[in-house]
Amino acid sequence: QVQLVESGGGSVQAGGSLRLSCAASGTTLSDSAIGWYRQAPGKQREAVARISNSDSTNYADSAKGRFTISRDNAKNTVYLQMNSLKPEDTAVYYCWGLVRGRSYWGQGTQVTVSS
């Protein structure tokens, strides 16, 4: 059974940094496309960053230049390094994986950025 577990969320002041982790079990992340999404209160879930199984990356405009998605195959973990955080980055962040044609979601981790 594939499970994705996020960690690393928390509360920071504007301008601060956080690193989110998405650890997988039941699959090898190096074979999968993995993405980070977020959902703020009253808003739709939106894509933030994605890394393909060939390690190509893409980012939402709001994340470009501030966020970096990366993969550690030895730890079977994908990270989202978030720098220069803004209050508008406040949301629940979810890890998503496409594994053998099926989508999987983690339970989410809260990120709160105060001004």
Side-chain angles (χ1 to χ4, degrees), residues 7 11 26 36-37:
S7 61
S11 297
W36 285 97
Y37 288 72

Side-chain angles (χ1 to χ4, degrees), residues 30-86:
S30 61
D31 297 335
S32 307
I34 302 294
W36 285 97
Y37 288 72
R38 67 187 183 188
Q39 187 166 19
K43 294 188 177 181
Q44 289 189 332
R45 192 172 296 189
E46 62 177 3
V48 176
R50 179 170 171 163
I51 185 166
S52 73
N53 55 0
S54 60
D55 285 349
S56 64
T57 59
N58 56 68
Y59 299 90
D61 287 344
S62 59
K64 288 178 181 176
R66 299 188 300 127
F67 295 1
T68 303
I69 188 170
S70 62
R71 190 200 306 269
D72 185 333
N73 293 334
K75 295 183 178 180
N76 210 28
T77 299
V78 171
Y79 301 99
L80 184 68
Q81 177 67 43
M82 304 188 296
N83 299 327
S84 301
L85 283 162
K86 304 174 181 179

